Amino acid sequence: MVVPALAADIDYGKPGTPVKLVVGYQPYYTQAWSGVVMRGKKFYEKYLPKGSEVEFQIGLQGAIIVNNMLAGKQNIGYYGDMPGIVSTTKTEVADVRLVAVLGLAWDQCNAFLVRNDAPQFKNDQEAIRWLDGKTVAVPKGSCTDRFAQATFKKFSIQPKEYLNQNIEVITSNFRAGKLDAAVMWEPTTSRLVGDGLARLIATGKSVQENDGGLLGMRADLIKQRPDVVKAWLQAELDAQLFIADPKNAPEVIKMAKEQTTGFSEKVLWNSLYGRYPDVAGGGDTRNIMHYTFTPEARELISRAAAFLHSIKSINVDKVRPEAIDSKWTEDILRERGLKAPIAEVKALPASQAPRN
């Protein structure tokens, strides 16, 4: 069998020598904030060979990080489940593997918002039914798209229009009164609610549809530098445990504020530690740190891959077996005497939220 020539392998040096890494991450996606903590706390310095250099590059959405990884401009990527899966299917360009799970949740990506003057609904089920015949927008091909379509299917809903719009357009259309509803991810969900532009009416918990964040690496890095893979994933474990410890909430939010623009500390806090009302699909848990590929994480990846195939985003209906490289995280958990999920981010009392 002839293997097509990939984009040239990058030379990362011999194991044990200093390495240069470029990391794509998403401070504008709350579920991927272990990347924010890695940049802020530099946990990797404890594990990487001395003299190593790490550059963090912000991606406004996962697709940008995927493109940079495929082009060899980034070696490690923090992204949502959909771009993460897509990154593993472009082997004719470059081989990217999934090496860790950033978290699984009900409402980090899966949040239905409606215009402020929509009726006051008794509960999330009534609110979802109201979407029939309405104008709904999502960034198509993202986790929001999967959640919206799964919800429409479960409730036999036919929107009048189902529009492909990015965060900025959705925000301006809510402001202009041109949208009935949208699905959005955190922290933009919290900003739209906080700015009084939209109301949250349902989450993935309302219809038992979860969302997830993933960590990917180029296969040439994995092959050449097992020491670096293990080092990074040791530090990633520290970052996830740091986020889940409630006493670190103020520091996590300070780092997120420093690494984003246009978001207040209060909005950022609400996106990870705030609690939505039960009637709108809220709950006590905001993110579950699975870290490794638990059965729940694998089930979500399977469901998401099938969806991506159905909308022709990828040309396979399941990820190839080697796309999920779970041995690193499994070994680290064993060495550290931990079991997955390793932690949960619990909603905190509103009294602990920043004032502004």
Side-chain angles (χ1 to χ4, degrees), residues 24-26 28-29 59-69 74 77-84 86-87 142 185:
Y25 81 117
Q26 280 183 273
Y28 297 96
Y29 182 40
L60 290 178
Q61 56 190 69
I64 296 165
I65 294 168
V66 172
N67 290 340
N68 283 327
M69 289 182 77
Q74 293 171 354
Y78 286 76
Y79 34 39
D81 48 18
M82 306 289 262
V86 170
S87 73
S142 71
W185 54 75

Side-chain angles (χ1 to χ4, degrees), residues 1 23 32 41 53 78 83 87 100 126 136 154 164 166 203 213 240 242 257 273 276 280 291 300 312 324 330 347 349:
M1 179 179 135
V23 179
K41 298 295 285 182
E53 292 172 37
Y78 286 76
S87 73
E126 182 187 40
V136 183
K154 283 185 182 178
N164 181 16
N166 65 22
T203 71
Q240 291 191 18
F242 186 88
K257 178 85 171 95
Y273 301 109
Y276 289 118
Y291 181 63
L300 173 60
K312 300 182 169 49
I324 297 175
E330 287 166 3

Side-chain angles (χ1 to χ4, degrees), residues 34-343:
S34 54
V36 167
V37 171
M38 287 284 261
R39 182 176 188 169
K41 298 295 285 182
K42 297 184 164 72
F43 286 139
Y44 52 84
E45 287 183 346
K46 179 178 166 188
Y47 303 102
L48 285 174
K50 291 284 167 277
S52 294
E53 292 172 37
V54 179
E55 179 191 346
F56 284 85
Q57 295 179 349
I58 290 173
L60 290 178
Q61 56 190 69
I64 296 165
I65 294 168
V66 172
N67 290 340
N68 283 327
M69 289 182 77
L70 293 172
K73 293 176 183 170
Q74 293 171 354
N75 326 112
I76 298 173
Y78 286 76
Y79 34 39
D81 48 18
M82 306 289 262
I85 291 163
V86 170
S87 73
T88 69
T89 64
K90 309 294 181 188
T91 46
E92 72 284 0
V93 183
D95 188 350
V96 173
R97 311 281 173 99
L98 302 174
V99 292
V101 177
L102 306 177
L104 297 184
W106 295 114
D107 56 14
Q108 284 299 324
C109 185
N110 297 357
F112 253 115
L113 298 166
V114 297
R115 55 185 162 83
N116 252 344
D117 61 352
Q120 295 295 328
F121 305 107
K122 284 203 297 288
N123 55 39
D124 49 0
Q125 309 299 303
E126 182 187 40
I128 290 168
R129 289 191 184 90
W130 178 81
L131 298 169
D132 197 40
K134 302 298 188 297
T135 299
V136 183
V138 300
K140 294 257 178 98
S142 71
C143 46
T144 58
D145 186 15
R146 182 186 72 238
F147 173 56
Q149 294 206 42
T151 304
F152 295 157
K153 203 169 167 184
K154 283 185 182 178
F155 282 75
S156 302
I157 283 165
Q158 281 291 325
K160 184 174 98 181
E161 291 181 283
Y162 186 56
L163 306 170
N164 181 16
Q165 297 181 347
N166 65 22
I167 292 176
E168 290 75 22
V169 176
I170 286 172
T171 302
S172 61
N173 280 343
F174 267 132
R175 194 172 270 123
K178 290 180 181 172
L179 274 183
D180 294 314
V183 181
M184 193 38 69
W185 54 75
E186 296 283 18
T188 303
T189 300
S190 289
R191 186 170 68 181
L192 288 167
V193 171
D195 288 352
L197 293 177
R199 296 190 346 249
L200 179 106
I201 52 111
T203 71
K205 193 164 184 257
S206 310
V207 294
Q208 295 300 294
E209 283 282 336
N210 58 355
D211 52 49
L214 300 168
L215 181 62
M217 289 187 185
R218 282 180 58 100
D220 50 12
L221 174 63
I222 297 170
K223 192 169 70 190
Q224 293 174 41
R225 295 301 302 265
D227 58 328
V228 169
V229 179
K230 186 169 182 188
W232 194 268
L233 292 174
Q234 289 272 27
E236 173 62 25
L237 180 56
D238 294 348
Q240 291 191 18
L241 291 171
F242 186 88
I243 287 176
D245 187 336
K247 76 170 187 295
N248 297 327
E251 195 178 349
V252 171
I253 298 313
K254 190 166 170 288
M255 288 185 271
K257 178 85 171 95
E258 284 165 359
Q259 295 175 40
T260 54
T261 53
F263 288 83
S264 67
E265 287 198 9
K266 186 174 185 179
V267 161
L268 294 167
W269 187 91
N270 279 332
S271 79
L272 187 60
Y273 301 109
R275 195 189 191 289
Y276 289 118
D278 286 355
V279 289
D284 293 329
T285 302
R286 294 303 311 275
N287 198 26
I288 302 173
M289 296 354 203
H290 281 249
Y291 181 63
T292 194
F293 295 89
T294 55
E296 297 93 329
R298 288 175 185 271
E299 188 278 328
L300 173 60
I301 290 168
S302 296
R303 185 163 21 104
F307 174 76
L308 286 164
H309 182 251
S310 76
I311 62 167
K312 300 182 169 49
S313 274
I314 58 176
N315 55 11
V316 288
D317 63 357
K318 54 172 76 74
V319 297
R320 59 201 161 98
E322 62 273 22
I324 297 175
D325 198 347
S326 63
K327 70 174 188 299
W328 307 96
T329 46
E330 287 166 3
D331 287 350
I332 290 167
L333 288 177
R334 206 171 298 118
E335 284 168 24
R336 287 170 69 163
L338 294 170
K339 282 196 162 49
I342 55 168

